Amino acid sequence: MAEAESKPVANRSVAPAPNSQVKSATRTLDIIEYVVAYDRPLVAQEIATALAIPVSSLSYLLSTLVERDYLERHGRRYSAGPGLARLQTTGGNYTLRDRVAPLVRTLRMQLDETTSFFIREGWEIEAIVTESSEQALRYSVPTGQRLPMHALAAGKVLLGALPEEDLDRYFSETTREHFTPSTVTDEAALREQIARTRDTGFATTNEEYSRGIEGMARVVLIDGNPVGSISVAMPKVRVDSATEARVRDLLGKTAALLEGS
């Protein structure tokens, strides 16, 4: 029986097929460039036909671009949005919200838990950026609504950043409400928590504002000044020691990126 002849095979390099993330990024850029190139708004079907993007995929990409202000939607038509002009501004013209939004979004994606950035408004806090978990059981943080400092981790950590005289004013000027049986309102107990926060840079809450929800927050200092706090809120049933350690680590890394920017 004759042996099969062995033939050399040409060593041809084959470009790897793009993965779904790269393909999605390419399509996103194609959509922006195509829409910007036209002087009139375009309907989704025009974009899908021109760029050979399935309508199901296009719908998600268009929604994301509209949400980020890179496109504007008027009825069924899409045109360039104000977010594109923002990309051309210098770093000094970016707002705090502009700077924190991508990092809040990234942290939410890493943990799939609700992540927010809060600023202090008087003796209350307000979320200027929030990204909700995509899990069925999740906690939602309202934007544009003032919330109590004493009952949320994001507020406690900002209390810890106050000078002592301002902290004394806070206690003399506020009436601290009970939201759950676990809410800490006593001045001495709060001062103990604040002292720990000052040592670590972190604050935690356990069902103090909403039943079944735990929170962790890290203060963010820019040029030595507390500009806000970044926090994660999650259902208590998903919290264990390993989760707490991971959240603390990622909060610290995210805050460090903001502080170094």
Side-chain angles (χ1 to χ4, degrees), residues 30-108:
D30 287 342
I31 291 167
I32 293 173
E33 292 176 353
Y34 186 73
V35 172
V36 169
Y38 278 77
D39 291 331
R40 62 176 179 83
L42 302 171
V43 297
Q45 188 59 55
E46 290 180 280
I47 301 170
T49 301
L51 301 178
I53 300 175
V55 174
S56 57
S57 299
L58 180 65
S59 177
Y60 171 77
L61 295 173
L62 288 174
S63 296
T64 301
L65 289 168
V66 169
E67 180 184 340
R68 301 286 290 273
D69 290 332
Y70 295 129
L71 294 182
E72 286 186 324
R73 181 174 181 175
H74 307 279
R76 296 174 55 246
R77 297 182 178 275
Y78 296 86
S79 58
L84 297 177
R86 189 175 66 240
L87 294 178
Q88 296 179 304
T89 62
T90 61
N93 291 328
Y94 276 84
T95 66
L96 179 61
R97 185 188 185 285
D98 293 332
R99 295 169 68 181
V100 303
L103 296 178
V104 169
R105 191 174 300 112
T106 299
L107 184 55
R108 196 278 302 163

Side-chain angles (χ1 to χ4, degrees), residues 2-25:
E3 294 183 359
E5 183 180 1
S6 175
K7 295 182 179 180
V9 178
N11 184 18
R12 290 179 293 181
S13 60
V14 179
N19 60 36
S20 59
Q21 289 87 354
V22 172
K23 192 173 184 179
S24 179

Side-chain angles (χ1 to χ4, degrees), residues 159-174:
L159 285 173
L162 291 175
E164 200 62 39
E165 59 270 24
D166 288 342
L167 187 60
D168 291 340
R169 283 183 51 231
Y170 167 78
F171 282 111
S172 66
E173 295 176 6
T174 61

Side-chain angles (χ1 to χ4, degrees), residues 120-125 147-151 155 159 162 165-179 184-188 190-191 194:
R120 183 169 73 88
E121 296 286 354
W123 300 135
E124 296 174 306
I125 56 173
L147 299 170
M149 296 187 77
H150 71 283
L159 285 173
L162 291 175
E165 59 270 24
D166 288 342
L167 187 60
D168 291 340
R169 283 183 51 231
Y170 167 78
F171 282 111
S172 66
E173 295 176 6
T174 61
T175 301
R176 295 166 297 282
E177 180 181 351
H178 276 95
F179 295 95
V184 178
T185 61
D186 176 70
E187 179 176 342
L190 273 171
R191 284 187 180 274
I194 290 167

Side-chain angles (χ1 to χ4, degrees), residues 136-165:
L137 180 62
R138 61 183 179 269
Y139 182 69
S140 295
V141 174
T143 55
Q145 179 179 329
R146 301 291 177 85
L147 299 170
M149 296 187 77
H150 71 283
L152 288 95
K156 289 182 191 286
V157 80
L158 287 173
L159 285 173
L162 291 175
E164 200 62 39
E165 59 270 24

